[in-house]
Amino acid sequence: MSDTKAILATAKKTIETEANAIHQLASYLNEEFSSAVECIRQSQGRVIISGIGKSAIIASKIVATLNSTGTPAIFMHAADAIHGDLGTIQNQDVVICISKSGNTPEIKVLVPLIKNGGNKLIGMTGNSESFLANQADFVLNTFVEKEACPNNLAPTSSTTAQLVMGDALAICLLELKGFDSNDFAKYHPGGALGKKLYLRVSDIASNNLIPQVDIDADVKTVIVEISEKMLGITAVLQDNKIVGVVTDGDIRRMLNKHDNISGLTAKDIMSTNPKTVATDVLAVKALELMQDKGISQLLAVEGDNYRGIVHLHNLINEGIL
Protein backbone atom coordinates (compact mmCIF):
# COMPACT_ATOMS: atom_id res chain seq x y z
CA MET A 1 0.00 0.00 0.00
CA SER A 2 2.85 2.39 0.82
CA ASP A 3 4.33 1.85 -2.65
CA THR A 4 0.96 2.60 -4.22
CA LYS A 5 0.65 5.83 -2.25
CA ALA A 6 4.17 6.89 -3.20
CA ILE A 7 3.59 6.13 -6.89
CA LEU A 8 0.33 8.05 -6.99
CA ALA A 9 1.86 10.96 -5.10
CA THR A 10 4.73 11.17 -7.60
CA ALA A 11 2.37 10.95 -10.56
CA LYS A 12 0.15 13.67 -9.10
CA LYS A 13 3.11 15.92 -8.41
CA THR A 14 4.38 15.43 -11.99
CA ILE A 15 1.03 16.36 -13.48
CA GLU A 16 0.61 19.35 -11.19
CA THR A 17 4.13 20.61 -11.96
CA GLU A 18 3.55 20.41 -15.70
CA ALA A 19 0.06 21.91 -15.39
CA ASN A 20 1.51 24.88 -13.52
CA ALA A 21 4.13 25.31 -16.24
CA ILE A 22 1.43 25.39 -18.91
CA HIS A 23 -0.65 27.83 -16.90
CA GLN A 24 2.33 30.16 -16.64
CA LEU A 25 2.97 29.83 -20.38
CA ALA A 26 -0.18 31.80 -21.19
CA SER A 27 1.23 34.85 -19.44
CA TYR A 28 4.23 34.88 -21.81
CA LEU A 29 2.11 35.42 -24.91
CA ASN A 30 2.59 38.86 -26.41
CA GLU A 31 2.70 40.76 -29.70
CA GLU A 32 5.76 38.78 -30.73
CA PHE A 33 3.69 35.60 -30.73
CA SER A 34 1.06 37.32 -32.85
CA SER A 35 3.73 38.57 -35.26
CA ALA A 36 5.15 35.06 -35.56
CA VAL A 37 1.72 33.71 -36.47
CA GLU A 38 1.23 36.44 -39.07
CA CYS A 39 4.68 35.77 -40.49
CA ILE A 40 3.77 32.13 -41.06
CA ARG A 41 0.34 32.96 -42.45
CA GLN A 42 1.71 35.45 -44.99
CA SER A 43 4.57 33.24 -46.06
CA GLN A 44 4.42 31.73 -49.53
CA GLY A 45 6.56 28.81 -48.39
CA ARG A 46 6.46 26.14 -45.74
CA VAL A 47 7.28 26.00 -42.05
CA ILE A 48 10.58 24.22 -41.38
CA ILE A 49 10.87 23.14 -37.74
CA SER A 50 14.19 22.08 -36.25
CA GLY A 51 15.54 20.99 -32.91
CA ILE A 52 17.97 18.68 -31.17
CA GLY A 53 17.36 15.92 -28.62
CA LYS A 54 13.90 15.89 -27.03
CA SER A 55 13.12 19.21 -28.71
CA ALA A 56 13.51 17.46 -32.06
CA ILE A 57 10.82 14.98 -31.06
CA ILE A 58 8.49 17.84 -30.12
CA ALA A 59 9.34 19.54 -33.43
CA SER A 60 8.19 16.42 -35.30
CA LYS A 61 4.86 16.44 -33.48
CA ILE A 62 4.29 20.14 -34.19
CA VAL A 63 5.04 19.48 -37.87
CA ALA A 64 2.38 16.76 -37.88
CA THR A 65 -0.16 19.07 -36.24
CA LEU A 66 0.51 21.90 -38.68
CA ASN A 67 0.25 19.61 -41.70
CA SER A 68 -3.04 18.16 -40.50
CA THR A 69 -4.53 21.61 -39.97
CA GLY A 70 -3.62 23.14 -43.30
CA THR A 71 -0.17 24.66 -42.76
CA PRO A 72 2.52 22.86 -44.80
CA ALA A 73 5.45 21.96 -42.56
CA ILE A 74 8.63 19.87 -42.67
CA PHE A 75 10.85 18.56 -39.87
CA MET A 76 14.59 19.12 -40.16
CA HIS A 77 16.86 17.73 -37.46
CA ALA A 78 19.35 20.36 -36.36
CA ALA A 79 22.30 17.95 -36.45
CA ASP A 80 21.40 16.70 -39.92
CA ALA A 81 20.88 20.24 -41.15
CA ILE A 82 24.51 21.16 -40.63
CA HIS A 83 25.62 17.93 -42.27
CA GLY A 84 23.83 18.20 -45.60
CA ASP A 85 20.11 18.71 -44.96
CA LEU A 86 20.21 22.51 -45.00
CA GLY A 87 18.95 22.32 -48.58
CA THR A 88 15.55 21.44 -47.13
CA ILE A 89 15.02 25.16 -46.56
CA GLN A 90 13.71 27.04 -49.59
CA ASN A 91 13.65 30.81 -50.15
CA GLN A 92 10.09 31.48 -48.94
CA ASP A 93 10.16 29.12 -45.96
CA VAL A 94 9.83 30.23 -42.35
CA VAL A 95 12.08 28.37 -39.91
CA ILE A 96 11.27 27.56 -36.29
CA CYS A 97 14.15 26.44 -34.08
CA ILE A 98 13.25 24.81 -30.77
CA SER A 99 15.74 24.70 -27.93
CA LYS A 100 15.20 24.93 -24.19
CA SER A 101 18.58 26.56 -23.55
CA GLY A 102 18.89 28.27 -26.91
CA ASN A 103 22.63 27.72 -26.68
CA THR A 104 23.25 24.17 -27.90
CA PRO A 105 26.23 23.82 -30.28
CA GLU A 106 24.07 22.63 -33.18
CA ILE A 107 21.75 25.62 -32.84
CA LYS A 108 24.68 28.02 -32.73
CA VAL A 109 25.96 26.61 -36.00
CA LEU A 110 22.55 26.35 -37.67
CA VAL A 111 21.10 29.76 -36.85
CA PRO A 112 23.67 31.88 -38.77
CA LEU A 113 23.21 29.65 -41.81
CA ILE A 114 19.46 30.25 -41.70
CA LYS A 115 19.98 33.99 -41.30
CA ASN A 116 22.42 34.05 -44.21
CA GLY A 117 19.72 32.49 -46.38
CA GLY A 118 17.39 35.35 -45.65
CA ASN A 119 14.67 33.21 -44.10
CA LYS A 120 12.57 34.45 -41.22
CA LEU A 121 13.54 32.70 -37.99
CA ILE A 122 11.24 31.99 -35.07
CA GLY A 123 13.00 30.87 -31.89
CA MET A 124 11.11 28.78 -29.35
CA THR A 125 13.21 28.78 -26.22
CA GLY A 126 13.06 28.92 -22.45
CA ASN A 127 16.00 31.31 -22.27
CA SER A 128 15.22 34.82 -23.46
CA GLU A 129 18.89 35.80 -23.14
CA SER A 130 20.17 32.92 -25.25
CA PHE A 131 21.96 32.95 -28.60
CA LEU A 132 18.79 31.70 -30.31
CA ALA A 133 16.60 34.36 -28.71
CA ASN A 134 19.01 37.14 -29.70
CA GLN A 135 19.26 35.97 -33.31
CA ALA A 136 15.61 35.12 -33.96
CA ASP A 137 13.20 37.51 -35.69
CA PHE A 138 10.48 36.40 -33.27
CA VAL A 139 10.81 34.66 -29.91
CA LEU A 140 8.25 32.29 -28.39
CA ASN A 141 8.98 32.12 -24.68
CA THR A 142 8.65 28.59 -23.25
CA PHE A 143 10.40 29.19 -19.95
CA VAL A 144 9.53 26.81 -17.12
CA GLU A 145 10.54 27.27 -13.49
CA LYS A 146 11.38 23.60 -13.03
CA GLU A 147 11.16 20.27 -14.72
CA ALA A 148 8.84 17.61 -13.32
CA CYS A 149 11.96 15.45 -12.99
CA PRO A 150 12.96 15.51 -9.29
CA ASN A 151 16.55 16.20 -10.35
CA ASN A 152 15.33 19.07 -12.55
CA LEU A 153 17.22 17.49 -15.45
CA ALA A 154 15.07 15.31 -17.70
CA PRO A 155 13.08 17.45 -20.17
CA THR A 156 9.49 17.13 -18.94
CA SER A 157 7.81 20.43 -18.14
CA SER A 158 9.91 22.17 -20.79
CA THR A 159 8.97 19.79 -23.61
CA THR A 160 5.33 19.96 -22.55
CA ALA A 161 5.52 23.75 -22.79
CA GLN A 162 7.04 23.48 -26.27
CA LEU A 163 4.29 21.11 -27.36
CA VAL A 164 1.54 23.40 -26.12
CA MET A 165 3.14 26.45 -27.72
CA GLY A 166 3.19 24.55 -31.01
CA ASP A 167 -0.49 23.69 -30.61
CA ALA A 168 -1.24 27.36 -29.96
CA LEU A 169 0.50 28.29 -33.21
CA ALA A 170 -1.36 25.63 -35.17
CA ILE A 171 -4.80 26.54 -33.85
CA CYS A 172 -4.26 30.27 -34.41
CA LEU A 173 -3.29 29.55 -38.03
CA LEU A 174 -6.24 27.19 -38.42
CA GLU A 175 -8.71 29.86 -37.32
CA LEU A 176 -7.10 32.64 -39.36
CA LYS A 177 -7.34 30.46 -42.48
CA GLY A 178 -10.94 29.49 -41.79
CA PHE A 179 -9.91 25.83 -41.82
CA ASP A 180 -13.16 23.91 -41.16
CA SER A 181 -14.31 20.30 -40.79
CA ASN A 182 -14.58 19.86 -44.56
CA ASP A 183 -10.94 20.88 -44.95
CA PHE A 184 -10.02 18.64 -42.05
CA ALA A 185 -11.65 15.68 -43.77
CA LYS A 186 -9.40 16.17 -46.81
CA TYR A 187 -6.33 15.70 -44.63
CA HIS A 188 -7.77 12.84 -42.55
CA PRO A 189 -9.48 10.47 -45.00
CA GLY A 190 -8.45 7.33 -43.14
CA GLY A 191 -9.55 5.84 -39.85
CA ALA A 192 -12.51 6.59 -37.62
CA LEU A 193 -11.72 10.31 -37.46
CA GLY A 194 -11.86 10.67 -41.22
CA LYS A 195 -15.04 8.65 -41.49
CA LYS A 196 -16.80 10.95 -39.05
CA LEU A 197 -16.03 13.81 -41.39
CA TYR A 198 -16.95 12.31 -44.74
CA LEU A 199 -18.94 9.05 -44.42
CA ARG A 200 -22.60 9.61 -45.26
CA VAL A 201 -25.76 7.63 -44.71
CA SER A 202 -25.88 6.70 -48.40
CA ASP A 203 -22.43 5.09 -48.12
CA ILE A 204 -23.70 2.77 -45.41
CA ALA A 205 -27.26 2.08 -46.58
CA SER A 206 -26.01 1.10 -50.03
CA ASN A 207 -24.07 -1.79 -48.50
CA ASN A 208 -27.16 -3.26 -46.78
CA LEU A 209 -30.02 -5.25 -48.18
CA ILE A 210 -33.23 -3.23 -48.49
CA PRO A 211 -36.04 -4.82 -46.50
CA GLN A 212 -39.55 -3.81 -47.56
CA VAL A 213 -43.06 -5.24 -47.58
CA ASP A 214 -46.41 -4.05 -48.83
CA ILE A 215 -48.88 -2.76 -46.27
CA ASP A 216 -51.16 -5.72 -46.97
CA ALA A 217 -48.43 -8.37 -46.69
CA ASP A 218 -49.27 -11.22 -44.30
CA VAL A 219 -47.32 -11.74 -41.13
CA LYS A 220 -45.32 -14.67 -42.48
CA THR A 221 -44.08 -12.53 -45.36
CA VAL A 222 -43.09 -9.81 -42.91
CA ILE A 223 -41.18 -12.22 -40.66
CA VAL A 224 -39.38 -13.79 -43.63
CA GLU A 225 -38.38 -10.37 -44.96
CA ILE A 226 -36.97 -9.28 -41.61
CA SER A 227 -35.13 -12.58 -41.23
CA GLU A 228 -33.66 -12.67 -44.74
CA LYS A 229 -32.48 -9.04 -44.76
CA MET A 230 -30.88 -9.46 -41.30
CA LEU A 231 -31.39 -5.91 -40.09
CA GLY A 232 -34.11 -6.51 -37.51
CA ILE A 233 -36.53 -4.29 -39.37
CA THR A 234 -38.50 -3.84 -42.57
CA ALA A 235 -40.09 -0.78 -44.09
CA VAL A 236 -43.81 -0.99 -44.86
CA LEU A 237 -44.77 0.63 -48.16
CA GLN A 238 -48.01 1.67 -49.77
CA ASP A 239 -47.86 2.87 -53.35
CA ASN A 240 -44.05 2.93 -52.96
CA LYS A 241 -44.26 5.37 -50.05
CA ILE A 242 -43.21 4.64 -46.47
CA VAL A 243 -46.18 4.28 -44.14
CA GLY A 244 -44.53 2.41 -41.26
CA VAL A 245 -41.98 -0.13 -40.08
CA VAL A 246 -42.08 -3.53 -38.45
CA THR A 247 -39.21 -4.44 -36.15
CA ASP A 248 -38.22 -7.55 -34.22
CA GLY A 249 -39.81 -5.87 -31.22
CA ASP A 250 -43.11 -5.44 -33.06
CA ILE A 251 -43.08 -9.16 -33.89
CA ARG A 252 -42.54 -10.09 -30.24
CA ARG A 253 -45.29 -7.78 -29.09
CA MET A 254 -47.64 -9.26 -31.69
CA LEU A 255 -46.96 -12.80 -30.45
CA ASN A 256 -47.59 -11.75 -26.86
CA LYS A 257 -50.84 -10.06 -27.81
CA HIS A 258 -52.35 -12.55 -30.27
CA ASP A 259 -52.84 -16.29 -29.87
CA ASN A 260 -53.91 -16.55 -33.51
CA ILE A 261 -51.90 -14.47 -35.98
CA SER A 262 -53.67 -15.85 -39.03
CA GLY A 263 -55.15 -13.01 -41.04
CA LEU A 264 -52.89 -10.30 -39.56
CA THR A 265 -51.04 -8.06 -42.00
CA ALA A 266 -48.18 -5.60 -41.86
CA LYS A 267 -50.72 -2.83 -41.35
CA ASP A 268 -51.96 -4.45 -38.13
CA ILE A 269 -48.56 -4.68 -36.43
CA MET A 270 -46.47 -1.88 -37.90
CA SER A 271 -45.30 1.22 -36.08
CA THR A 272 -46.33 4.40 -37.87
CA ASN A 273 -44.26 7.58 -38.27
CA PRO A 274 -40.91 5.78 -38.43
CA LYS A 275 -37.70 7.72 -37.86
CA THR A 276 -35.92 8.57 -41.11
CA VAL A 277 -32.64 10.19 -42.12
CA ALA A 278 -31.66 11.72 -45.45
CA THR A 279 -29.07 9.82 -47.46
CA ASP A 280 -26.80 12.87 -47.76
CA VAL A 281 -26.51 13.32 -43.98
CA LEU A 282 -23.20 12.46 -42.32
CA ALA A 283 -23.22 9.04 -40.69
CA VAL A 284 -22.15 10.56 -37.38
CA LYS A 285 -25.33 12.66 -37.42
CA ALA A 286 -27.36 9.50 -37.95
CA LEU A 287 -25.66 8.08 -34.85
CA GLU A 288 -26.62 11.16 -32.84
CA LEU A 289 -30.24 10.74 -33.95
CA MET A 290 -30.25 7.08 -32.94
CA GLN A 291 -28.82 7.92 -29.54
CA ASP A 292 -31.32 10.75 -29.06
CA LYS A 293 -34.29 8.55 -29.95
CA GLY A 294 -32.99 5.41 -28.25
CA ILE A 295 -33.25 3.32 -31.43
CA SER A 296 -30.85 1.16 -33.44
CA GLN A 297 -32.13 1.62 -37.01
CA LEU A 298 -33.14 4.47 -39.26
CA LEU A 299 -34.81 4.45 -42.65
CA ALA A 300 -32.60 6.13 -45.22
CA VAL A 301 -34.60 8.35 -47.56
CA GLU A 302 -33.88 10.53 -50.57
CA GLY A 303 -36.67 13.03 -50.67
CA ASP A 304 -39.83 10.92 -50.41
CA ASN A 305 -38.11 7.81 -51.72
CA TYR A 306 -37.05 4.92 -49.50
CA ARG A 307 -33.39 3.94 -50.05
CA GLY A 308 -32.68 1.41 -47.32
CA ILE A 309 -31.64 1.01 -43.70
CA VAL A 310 -28.76 2.32 -41.65
CA HIS A 311 -28.19 0.19 -38.55
CA LEU A 312 -26.27 0.94 -35.36
CA HIS A 313 -24.09 -2.09 -36.06
CA ASN A 314 -23.03 -0.51 -39.35
CA LEU A 315 -21.77 2.53 -37.49
CA ILE A 316 -19.94 0.39 -34.95
CA ASN A 317 -18.29 -1.59 -37.72
CA GLU A 318 -17.17 1.62 -39.41
CA GLY A 319 -15.63 2.86 -36.19
CA ILE A 320 -18.04 5.81 -35.94
CA LEU A 321 -19.05 4.74 -32.43
Side-chain angles (χ1 to χ4, degrees):
M1 181 63 71
S2 60
D3 286 346
T4 298
K5 288 182 178 179
I7 289 169
L8 294 178
T10 298
K12 183 177 180 180
K13 183 177 180 181
T14 300
I15 292 170
E16 289 177 345
T17 299
E18 295 197 7
N20 290 334
I22 298 309
H23 181 74
Q24 189 63 36
L25 194 65
S27 67
Y28 302 152
L29 297 177
N30 52 28
E31 290 184 2
E32 204 152 349
F33 175 87
S34 177
S35 297
V37 172
E38 285 292 348
C39 176
I40 295 172
R41 181 169 75 120
Q42 294 172 14
S43 170
Q44 299 300 308
R46 307 152 304 172
V47 180
I48 310 297
I49 309 184
S50 188
I52 196 79
K54 303 299 187 296
S55 294
I57 297 172
I58 297 301
S60 292
K61 191 278 177 184
I62 296 173
V63 164
T65 301
L66 288 171
N67 280 323
S68 70
T69 52
T71 300
I74 294 177
F75 170 69
M76 180 184 69
H77 196 282
D80 293 335
I82 59 177
H83 291 283
D85 283 2
L86 196 64
T88 300
I89 305 174
Q90 301 299 303
N91 291 337
Q92 300 298 318
D93 294 340
V94 175
V95 182
I96 300 177
C97 282
I98 305 176
S99 172
K100 177 187 176 182
S101 71
N103 289 317
T104 58
E106 293 84 358
I107 293 297
K108 286 187 173 182
V109 173
L110 177 59
V111 165
L113 298 175
I114 295 170
K115 299 292 287 183
N116 288 341
N119 298 86
K120 289 294 184 180
L121 174 63
I122 299 171
M124 185 185 296
T125 179
N127 182 359
S128 59
E129 302 299 323
S130 65
F131 177 83
L132 175 59
N134 288 327
Q135 293 296 314
D137 296 291
F138 311 102
V139 177
L140 306 181
N141 188 353
T142 53
F143 171 76
V144 296
E145 291 184 359
K146 61 180 179 178
E147 301 286 5
C149 166
N151 299 315
N152 198 31
L153 294 174
T156 44
S157 300
S158 59
T159 48
T160 301
Q162 293 168 354
L163 187 66
V164 172
M165 186 65 78
D167 285 344
L169 277 175
I171 299 306
C172 287
L173 289 164
L174 177 152
E175 292 196 351
L176 287 171
K177 294 179 178 182
F179 192 88
D180 61 19
S181 60
N182 290 326
D183 298 311
F184 203 78
K186 297 176 185 177
Y187 293 91
H188 299 77
L193 178 59
K195 288 181 179 179
K196 287 183 179 181
L197 296 169
Y198 76 80
L199 194 69
R200 299 191 180 274
V201 167
S202 58
D203 300 320
I204 293 176
S206 62
N207 292 324
N208 290 332
L209 298 173
I210 304 176
Q212 60 185 65
V213 297
D214 187 77
I215 191 171
D216 295 321
D218 58 47
V219 168
K220 180 180 179 180
T221 300
V222 174
I223 294 175
V224 170
E225 183 71 0
I226 293 174
S227 178
E228 289 184 346
K229 300 302 169 62
M230 300 180 293
L231 292 168
I233 190 173
T234 182
V236 180
L237 306 183
Q238 183 176 33
D239 298 326
N240 293 320
K241 301 298 181 184
I242 299 170
V243 292
V245 293
V246 179
T247 66
D248 286 336
D250 292 321
I251 298 296
R252 289 192 295 271
R253 284 185 287 273
M254 174 198 68
L255 293 174
N256 284 329
K257 185 176 180 181
H258 298 279
D259 292 327
N260 183 6
I261 63 173
S262 176
L264 292 178
T265 66
K267 181 179 180 180
D268 299 317
I269 61 174
M270 71 182 186
S271 299
T272 57
N273 300 316
K275 301 298 183 292
T276 63
V277 62
T279 54
D280 61 350
V281 168
L282 287 172
V284 68
K285 295 297 182 182
L287 173 61
E288 292 174 3
L289 181 58
M290 288 183 194
Q291 292 174 325
D292 183 57
K293 302 298 182 182
I295 57 179
S296 58
Q297 309 106 330
L298 290 167
L299 302 189
V301 296
E302 187 176 350
D304 294 330
N305 299 314
Y306 170 56
R307 297 303 187 206
I309 300 291
V310 56
H311 195 287
L312 180 63
H313 291 165
N314 299 140
L315 302 176
I316 293 173
N317 290 337
E318 294 288 352
I320 300 297
L321 180 60

